[in-house]
Amino acid sequence: MKACRALIAAAALLLTAAGERPASPAELYGPLFAAVQEGRVFEDGKTFADAIARSDAATIMQAWQREEPQGTDALRAFVERHFILPDAAEQAPAPDLVTHIRELWPQLARPPLNPPPGSTALALPAPYVVPGGRFREIYYWDSYFTMLGLKADGRDDLVETMLADFTSLVERYGHVPNGTRTYYLSRSQPPFLALMIGLSGSDSPTLAAQRLAALRAEHAWWMRDAACAHAEGACGRVVRMPDGSLLNRYWDDKDTPRDESWAEDVATARESNRPAAEVWRALRAGAESGWDFSSRWLADPARLATIRTVQIVPVDLNSLMWVLETTVAERCGAAGDQPCARDFTRMAERRRAAIDRYLWSADDARFGDWDREGEALTPVLSAATLYPLFAGHASEQQAAAVAATVRQHLLAPGGLRTTLARTGQQWDAPNGWAPLQWIAVAGLERHGERELAQAVATRWIANVDRVWRDTGKLLEKYDVEELKAGGGGEYPTQDGFGWTNGVTRALIDSYGTPPPATM
């Protein structure tokens, strides 16, 4: 524990002196932060990470050193004197699912944010929608799926303002962070900005130019270590494949415990026989993937301490990077910038070839993740196999093969399985997640697999509807085997819930509300 606290204090001094970005709470409050999180003063570690300081950090730390509170009760009393703790949001009942979703948007919407002094929140210039529950800020990849429902309910105003927020984040930080907190700035999430922009109805040339600049900046951020990767094999978020082509991986610029899951990360590293910084980087990279956590990233599916995210070249990320490159090429061409269009077209073509070579298995009839150490696909079949169909770079033969695999292995009574492994991690069986249902349905529809797409969509809608009728809530994740609330992971299942609302509402527009699902 003393070593962890010393590490935090040193990091705080370095980062606050550098002035490159706002300091996270772990950096600001060092040993106080570690004591509160490791002492599990709050059931959810994100509670303290999101608290607003009542005075400046120096004053609080002077009080901490002077009082030296010991024990859970004394620590909590100290925190409550010096910080404003976040409150949980509530939801109202509604007569039917569609009405309930429509009534949730105002509850989940937030006005432009100028954070008060002492807050860990990042400023946002325009209104936005949060997921709900413990997730009190805007999140990157969640927001694309939320926007689908906003479009279905005619809330284009919020789609446009959220795009303004994301563009602003790229302009300020060079990328879209995981979420709008200081402690999320060291990583991003799956890059959906190009697809979000595709939902916009704006025909403004000024906005088009601004958004194209943001997309190019985001691409540069993901590829910024390309030269280093060419030399060293892997560097930051870039990996050199055996043939010299470049693909991407998930990463985090820090190798310390996550502020919002501090105690959990310290415990996980303690259970490993690896260097703690290596484990923490892998956990952070898993958080950047959005799949935190999953057997996709584990050497031993039964042990989170074996996480090795940075050794995996993931199919979902590289499909989204292909979308980003093709979108930039198309928009550069529309803007009359032919050199840019040619450059990004070539990048996309090289990426597609590398995906086909390394992330596709004809024998297994699936796309998958490539293991850098084993130099082969990992054995994990996951819903990420559908990303190339969704993105549009899968061939018709590949799409038909993937559809057969999905039908045989991933289709469940309540929607699409995430993986086949029951590990206790939330991004594994028996859970199903709204974004993966949309990726599957849209990808299958794109390749003419309408019957299977309809099966996924209607089973998911029925599952969500059934749980809503039982509980009055829309949840973050669902058990697609037993048609109930999902479980597993680091925190209780959350309600709200942005991407479930968005995907379910958009699917209802296309497929209607079916009879309740049966086992």
Side-chain angles (χ1 to χ4, degrees):
M1 184 179 296
K2 289 182 178 178
C4 287
R5 292 178 183 176
L7 183 153
I8 302 168
L13 289 173
L14 287 171
L15 288 163
T16 53
E20 294 180 354
R21 56 172 171 76
S24 73
E27 294 160 357
L28 284 171
Y29 304 111
L32 165 61
F33 188 85
V36 172
Q37 299 293 60
E38 291 178 34
R40 297 186 182 270
V41 172
F42 301 99
E43 181 180 1
D44 186 344
K46 196 171 184 295
T47 299
F48 186 43
D50 291 356
I52 298 173
R54 297 181 188 271
S55 57
D56 62 86
T59 300
I60 293 172
M61 292 310 296
Q62 287 170 4
W64 158 259
Q65 292 165 2
R66 183 173 61 252
E67 299 177 27
E68 295 186 348
Q70 302 295 319
T72 300
D73 292 343
L75 281 169
R76 183 174 186 119
F78 180 89
V79 169
E80 290 178 347
R81 286 198 307 274
H82 292 278
F83 294 86
I84 302 169
L85 298 176
D87 296 321
E90 297 181 355
Q91 298 176 11
D96 60 76
L97 184 57
V98 171
T99 302
H100 182 62
I101 292 173
R102 188 175 295 119
E103 291 178 351
L104 281 174
W105 298 130
Q107 295 183 41
L108 297 173
R110 301 290 183 268
L113 178 62
N114 183 20
S119 172
T120 62
L122 302 177
L124 290 171
Y128 58 98
V129 175
V130 301
R134 74 196 287 266
F135 301 110
R136 309 171 186 93
E137 52 284 309
I138 197 171
Y139 282 80
Y140 184 8
W141 80 308
D142 294 57
S143 295
Y144 170 70
F145 302 99
T146 299
M147 288 177 179
L148 296 171
L150 292 171
K151 288 283 290 186
D153 276 331
R155 294 304 308 270
D156 294 79
D157 57 321
L158 281 171
V159 171
E160 298 298 334
T161 56
M162 291 169 73
L163 282 170
D165 288 329
F166 286 120
T167 302
S168 171
L169 289 167
V170 175
E171 290 171 347
R172 282 180 282 158
Y173 303 113
H175 68 290
V176 180
N178 182 153
T180 49
R181 295 279 177 181
T182 56
Y183 53 78
Y184 286 144
L185 283 169
S186 59
R187 63 177 179 267
S188 186
Q189 274 192 328
F192 273 88
L193 183 57
L195 288 158
M196 291 181 194
I197 291 172
L199 297 177
S200 172
S202 172
D203 58 2
S204 165
T206 301
L207 276 182
Q210 184 183 30
R211 290 169 178 176
L212 175 57
L215 292 176
R216 295 186 68 173
E218 179 177 51
H219 185 270
W221 185 85
W222 280 95
M223 298 300 297
R224 64 184 176 180
D225 291 311
C228 170
H230 268 302
E232 299 185 13
C235 195
R237 292 169 176 81
V238 187
V239 175
R240 187 191 72 222
M241 305 303 285
D243 66 354
S245 58
L246 296 179
L247 290 176
N248 289 87
R249 65 177 175 180
Y250 295 114
W251 183 255
D252 191 299
D253 297 339
K254 291 184 181 181
D255 60 1
T256 56
R258 292 168 294 157
D259 293 51
E260 73 280 13
S261 299
W262 185 271
E264 293 86 348
D265 288 0
V266 170
T268 299
R270 192 176 291 130
E271 295 169 10
S272 172
N273 60 0
R274 300 149 60 198
E278 179 182 308
V279 177
W280 292 333
R281 175 96 70 188
L283 289 166
R284 284 174 167 272
E288 181 168 84
S289 79
W291 292 50
D292 42 339
F293 295 104
S294 170
S295 57
R296 288 179 70 190
W297 318 129
L298 307 182
D300 177 355
R303 295 184 62 230
L304 181 59
T306 66
I307 190 166
R308 52 194 298 276
T309 319
V310 300
Q311 297 301 329
I312 305 299
V313 178
V315 65
D316 46 359
L317 173 58
N318 284 285
S319 288
L320 292 171
M321 290 295 293
W322 182 86
V323 171
L324 176 54
E325 287 163 350
T326 55
T327 301
V328 171
E330 178 183 343
R331 288 178 173 265
C332 280
D337 187 346
Q338 295 309 316
C340 166
R342 286 193 296 271
D343 287 347
F344 276 87
T345 297
R346 282 194 294 267
M347 282 188 262
E349 290 170 349
R350 289 194 291 265
R351 187 178 298 274
R352 179 176 184 171
I355 291 172
D356 282 347
R357 181 168 185 177
Y358 295 107
L359 307 185
W360 165 251
S361 171
D363 291 342
D364 295 336
R366 68 179 177 98
F367 288 96
D369 306 318
W370 196 73
D371 183 341
R372 292 187 61 238
E373 293 179 343
E375 295 195 340
L377 285 187
T378 73
V380 178
L381 170 63
S382 78
T385 193
L386 287 145
Y387 265 83
L389 282 66
F390 170 75
H393 62 77
S395 69
E396 293 307 314
Q397 293 79 10
Q398 289 170 329
V402 168
T405 298
V406 169
R407 189 178 293 107
Q408 182 177 356
H409 298 291
L410 293 178
L411 183 63
L416 188 75
R417 297 180 176 101
T418 304
T419 70
L420 302 180
R422 287 179 175 263
T423 65
Q425 299 302 327
Q426 61 176 351
W427 288 85
D428 279 319
N431 287 343
W433 294 79
L436 302 182
Q437 314 302 311
W438 182 263
I439 296 297
V441 171
L444 292 166
E445 285 276 14
R446 182 173 196 149
H447 290 275
E449 299 284 348
R450 180 167 178 79
E451 182 180 349
L452 181 56
Q454 184 171 14
V456 174
T458 54
R459 293 182 190 199
W460 174 260
I461 295 167
N463 195 359
V464 172
D465 187 62
R466 173 174 174 165
V467 173
W468 173 72
R469 292 183 185 280
D470 287 345
T471 67
K473 297 178 179 180
L474 278 91
L475 305 175
E476 178 191 25
K477 55 185 178 277
Y478 291 80
D479 184 324
V480 295
E481 306 293 351
E482 298 187 20
L483 311 183
K484 63 181 184 180
E490 299 179 310
Y491 52 83
T493 297
Q494 301 294 299
D495 59 22
F497 195 87
W499 64 16
T500 300
N501 306 353
V503 166
T504 305
R505 180 68 186 86
L507 290 176
I508 288 173
D509 250 13
S510 296
Y511 298 96
T513 305
T518 57
M519 294 296 290

